[in-house]
Structure formats: structure tokens, C-alpha cells
Amino acid sequence: MTKHLTLLVNRIFPILLFIGLGFSTTINIPTDYQTIQEGIDIAEAGDTILVSPGTYVENLIWNAPPGVKLFGSSALDCIIDGNNSGSVLRFGDRSLLNPDSTGFEDITIISNFTLKNGHAEGEGDSNHGGGISIAVVGFKPIFENLIIENNYAHEWGGGIYSYYGAPSISNSIIKNNDARWDGGGIYVHALSDTVKIDQVEIINNTASHSAAIYSQSGTKMILTQSLICNNSSSGPIISTYNVGIEIDKCTIANNQSEIGALFILHNSGDELLIDNCILWGNQPIQAYIYNANNFIVNSSNIESVSDNLIIVDNSAGIYDAPYYYSNEDYSGIVFISNNGEEPTWGNDNINQNPLFCDPSNLDFTLAQNSPSVGISSDGSPLTMGAYDVGCEEVLSNVYQNQIAYSFRIEQNYPNPFNPITTLKYELPEDSFVDVTIYDMLGNVVNNLVNANQSSGYKSIQWDATNNQDEPVSAGVYLYKIQAGNFVDTKKMILLK
């Protein structure tokens, strides 16, 4: 059971009698009306529709005015099944009604349902949005506590399609959807306002292009504390075109594509931010950025066989987007610079196995010894990715079933520590290894390792003593590894 699914189980059935500025009516399904569609058809501005547990085989047309709320009992026991006969939920023109004339706030909420087995195929917009389809200018619905699964769109938006709208999606699961063209999970085009995606799991979706999320033209997309994994596409997994994007505390892992997990084609001046994220196990590269003037990466764990960031000079205009950079030597971020643009690369970015607890079972919480949990360069606590610590210490070579392919040193664990901590490192080949502890003045404190070692995963403990076996004082220390031509240094904090 995924993390958000547990939260969905615990959602209580909402009872809302008065909403907004005026009196409202509560419509109960199936007590007052047998079908959800009947409830929508009769609803007036500000009404609430409450749906009891059950499976409702319907293809809903939302022609209700602004301010109508639709609540199921729970996403696990209140299911709307599209029966492969069209979109599960399609928004109609009545949503354009001027909210000022109703006295109710213009908020449409859909919550606590599973929407499944939609099949959008036909003429015009009926090809889009297998689960949810929106084609209403300026429409900003709230979708929360939903499971959107097993839907199909013949063109765009297997799970959710939005054109000229700006939905907010939270605490939901979007999985096993498919789009023949773009946006297996989510498709948004011509964003009328900021699209917010928070605490959403986007899993196992497929599309010819952009298996998880596709966004094009408009204001901004904000993606926070979300998991994007196991999606597959012949194009990228997440793509944005001329849309500002902020990705904060997200885990983007184990996706398969021909371009990379994240593809950004950007010609505007909006900021592109990746902050506190984990990009790991995506094939063939983690991210591909083209023509971005304001690209920032902070405090993120980004897998790379060689360099985390490759900057390709395109001032001569040789490379047209998309520029397929699939060589395994460039598995981090490829940045195509057209006019001498330089990305901002933060101090706390790392390239170390994040040590997920059980990724094969969709558990992307972090082990206690994960290098994605620690202390930032400014001394503040730091956790990368969508989830916090969820299991005890694991061994990267045993639990993750990996062979050491490159030289790496992991963040010590625990950190801060008192008085014992463990240092782990990886050797892809037999090497002479030197691991030394220094104080912040550069003085040698302890020579932990100075010997030939065979390839593999290694670890050694330091007990906060110097070479004379005397305890050292509390403070910040450095540990440095040198193996062949590989050299790396990290900080650790000793408490007393």
C-alpha cells in the first residue's frame, strides 16, 4: 500500500451544509437521486453532492454552476467506472457561469473517488482526458484524495486533460493510464493560472510522449512532495514547453524513456527550479534542458555515471530540440546552452545512491543511512525527495542489489553523531585507498584507511578519536577519500 493510499483510507466522509455566502443544499446519492449525474444536473451554485460507497457506472458531464462540491465516501469504496465508454468526468460549458451572480465562491471540488476505465476516443475534445477532461477557459477546479487509474485517451491526457484551465491536484494517485500521444498521467495546455500538483503519486503511466506530465504554454507549474516513478515513454517522462516550473521535494525515479526523465524547452524568462529532489534510476539520463535562461538546481541527489551536469555549447545552432543525448556517460543533467546561458548549481547537490527502503514495492521512503538525509552546507536539516526516513539502515550493495560502477563516497551516518559514525564508499576497481579525517583548519586528525583494497562497497567507522586514540572536541570535520585519480571530500558534525 502506498503512502498516499493509507491517507485516503483515513479520510472521513465530509458533511457540509452551508458553503460560501449563501444557503446551500446537500444532495445525497443514491438516497435523493439514483445516479451522480442526476445530482450534478439538479445542483445549484454552492450545493454539495455526497455520494455513498458503491460503484457507479457513469460518464459524467459536469454542467453544474460554480461552487458545487462533489464528495465521495472514500477513494477506496466510492468508484466511478467509465466502462470504456468515454471520459469518466467531462466539464461542460455551464461552468462558465459568472460566480458574482451567485453569491458563492467559484470553487469546484471533486474529492474522495476512484475514477477508472475511461476511454476518450471520438471527435474533437472527446479524444482527450480518459479520466478527467477540462476545456473551460479560466476554470480552476480542485481535485483531492482521488485515485485515477486505468484510463485511456486516444490523443492527450490519459488520466487528466486540461486546456485553458488551471487545476490543483493534491493527495492523489494517478496510475496505469495511457495516452496515444502526450500526457499519459496529466496533460495541461495554455495554463490560465498556476497549476499546483502536491503530494501526488504518478505511477506506471504510458504515452508516446511525456508519460507522466505534459505542460505547454502559460504561467507556471508547481510540483511538490510528489513521486513520479515507473512511467514509460518513447519521449520524455515530464516535459514542459514555455512554462515556468518549480519542482520541490520530489522523487523522480526508475522511469524509462528515449530522452530522459525531465525535458524542458524554455524560451521565456520564468525560473526553472529543482530543489530538494531525487532524480535516480531514470533511463537514459535524468534531465535534458534546452534554451533555459534561469535554471537552478539546489540540494538535490542526481544520479550520473560521470558528471552531474553537462553543458553543451549550442551558440552555433547545431542542435535542434529535442537533442537526443542518450549516451550512458551523460546520465545526469544535459544543459543545451544557446546563448552562453549558465545554470545555477547549488552547493548541496550530490550524486549518491539514495538508499530507498523498498523501491520494487513502490516504497521510496529513505533508509536511516541515506545520503539524502543530513545537514546542508548552512547547517540546517536537509531531506531530499518526497519522503522522509522509513526504514532502518540498509546496505547499498546487498539491499539495492547493485554492483559498484563508479567511485563514490556516501554521506556518513549518523550525521550529526556522538561518538561513532560510519563512512561508506564504492570502488569499481581494485585501488590504493586513502581515507583521512581533517579538522576545519586542514590538520590531519585520523588516518582511517591507507591500503590497497579490492573493488566493491566498503565501510569504516570513526569513533571521534585522533591518531593518538584521544577523543576530539565537538565540531565540524572533513573526511576525504582518494582512490586512484578519484578524490572527494564531505563534511560531518560531531556533537558532545
Side-chain angles (χ1 to χ4, degrees):
M1 181 178 292
T2 61
K3 189 169 184 176
H4 289 133
L5 192 55
T6 302
L7 186 56
L8 289 166
V9 172
N10 295 327
R11 283 281 169 175
I12 64 172
F13 193 78
I15 304 296
L16 300 174
L17 296 178
F18 296 94
I19 302 175
L21 301 176
F23 291 100
S24 62
T25 299
T26 299
I27 301 168
N28 293 282
I29 307 297
T31 303
D32 298 328
Y33 298 93
Q34 284 296 308
T35 67
I36 300 173
Q37 186 66 63
E38 289 178 283
I40 294 171
D41 292 341
I42 201 69
E44 298 296 337
D47 285 352
T48 298
I49 305 170
L50 301 181
V51 183
S52 295
T55 298
Y56 300 82
V57 181
E58 302 188 50
N59 301 98
L60 301 176
I61 303 298
W62 189 274
N63 53 14
V68 172
K69 280 77 172 172
L70 176 64
F71 292 99
S73 53
S74 161
L76 294 184
D77 63 18
C78 200
I79 300 165
I80 307 175
D81 189 330
N83 197 34
N84 296 310
S85 300
S87 299
V88 180
L89 175 58
R90 182 175 297 277
F91 286 86
D93 291 340
R94 197 176 171 203
S95 301
L96 292 171
L97 181 66
N98 182 2
D100 294 337
S101 66
T102 67
F104 290 90
E105 188 177 6
D106 182 16
I107 297 177
T108 296
I109 301 176
I110 313 294
S111 180
N112 297 343
F113 290 96
T114 288
L115 280 65
K116 71 176 188 178
N117 297 335
H119 188 101
E121 182 173 2
E123 298 295 328
D125 284 341
S126 60
N127 276 313
H128 315 320
I132 298 175
S133 180
I134 303 168
V136 180
V137 177
F139 189 44
K140 297 184 286 186
I142 295 174
F143 302 131
E144 59 185 17
N145 312 316
L146 301 178
I147 299 174
I148 301 173
E149 63 178 353
N150 301 329
N151 300 289
Y152 170 79
H154 195 59
E155 291 183 356
W156 303 323
I160 298 175
Y161 166 85
S162 175
Y163 195 69
Y164 291 121
S168 293
I169 310 164
S170 65
N171 197 43
S172 296
I173 300 170
I174 301 173
K175 64 178 182 178
N176 303 329
N177 301 286
D178 177 47
R180 188 168 69 99
W181 290 358
D182 299 326
I186 300 171
Y187 178 102
V188 288
H189 193 174
L191 290 62
S192 61
D193 204 338
T194 299
V195 171
K196 298 177 181 178
I197 301 172
D198 179 56
Q199 298 184 68
V200 175
E201 295 180 352
I202 305 175
I203 305 169
N204 293 329
N205 300 284
T206 57
S208 296
H209 190 281
S210 309
I213 300 173
Y214 177 96
S215 63
Q216 179 176 347
S217 304
T219 52
K220 178 183 286 188
M221 173 177 287
I222 299 177
L223 183 63
T224 54
Q225 207 169 340
S226 294
L227 170 67
I228 298 166
C229 73
N230 297 359
N231 301 283
S232 61
S233 171
S234 57
I237 302 302
I238 304 172
S239 60
T240 69
Y241 296 81
N242 300 322
V243 175
I245 185 168
E246 296 179 10
I247 306 176
D248 182 33
K249 290 190 68 63
C250 290
T251 298
I252 303 172
N254 298 348
N255 298 285
Q256 299 290 323
S257 75
E258 292 184 5
I259 299 178
L262 179 63
F263 176 84
I264 296 176
L265 172 63
H266 197 65
N267 293 313
S268 70
D270 292 333
E271 183 175 88
L272 309 175
L273 175 64
I274 298 176
D275 195 20
N276 291 298
C277 291
I278 298 174
L279 278 71
W280 202 267
N282 303 293
Q283 300 296 328
I285 65 175
Q286 307 306 314
Y288 172 89
I289 315 298
Y290 185 93
N291 195 24
N293 297 319
N294 197 8
F295 179 53
I296 302 169
V297 183
N298 287 324
S299 305
S300 293
N301 191 354
I302 299 172
E303 182 182 22
S304 176
V305 173
S306 56
D307 296 326
N308 273 14
L309 177 68
I310 303 293
I311 300 178
V312 178
D313 183 6
N314 192 35
S315 57
I318 299 173
Y319 306 121
D320 293 327
Y323 174 55
Y324 295 85
Y325 224 112
S326 59
N327 189 304
E328 65 178 7
D329 292 338
Y330 302 99
S331 62
I333 292 178
V334 175
F335 184 89
I336 308 298
S337 176
N338 284 352
N339 300 301
E341 307 97 334
E342 291 284 342
T344 300
W345 194 256
N347 293 327
D348 294 316
N349 296 313
I350 62 174
N351 171 20
Q352 297 180 42
N353 190 328
L355 300 180
F356 298 124
C357 287
D358 191 3
S360 62
N361 289 309
L362 299 180
D363 182 357
F364 286 87
T365 57
L366 302 173
Q368 287 184 344
N369 57 326
S370 169
S372 295
V373 180
I375 303 296
S376 67
S377 57
D378 64 6
S380 61
L382 174 64
T383 300
M384 303 172 185
Y387 307 122
D388 209 329
V389 172
C391 61
E392 297 179 353
E393 181 175 345
V394 299
L395 298 176
S396 56
N397 59 325
V398 175
Y399 196 88
Q400 301 290 95
N401 193 28
Q402 294 182 348
I403 299 172
Y405 291 107
S406 61
F407 289 103
R408 291 180 182 174
I409 185 168
E410 299 182 2
Q411 186 65 49
N412 65 300
Y413 180 82
N415 186 41
F417 65 98
N418 180 22
I420 297 175
T421 191
T422 299
L423 315 180
K424 294 184 177 182
Y425 52 96
E426 306 172 13
L427 304 175
E429 59 189 40
D430 298 350
S431 305
F432 185 84
V433 178
D434 180 273
V435 179
T436 303
I437 309 295
Y438 296 88
D439 63 24
M440 292 303 291
L441 298 177
N443 302 311
V444 173
V445 175
N446 197 316
N447 300 100
L448 292 181
V449 179
N450 191 256
N452 286 303
Q453 292 188 333
S454 59
S455 62
Y457 288 77
K458 311 294 179 181
S459 67
I460 188 168
Q461 289 188 330
W462 183 45
D463 59 0
T465 60
N466 59 22
N467 280 330
Q468 289 73 46
D469 204 28
E470 301 168 337
V472 299
S473 59
V476 179
Y477 291 85
L478 305 174
Y479 58 102
K480 176 181 177 182
I481 181 173
Q482 182 166 355
N485 294 324
F486 174 76
V487 179
D488 198 5
T489 303
K490 292 190 178 297
K491 291 181 182 180
M492 56 184 171
I493 300 175
L494 170 62
L495 302 177
K496 288 293 181 92

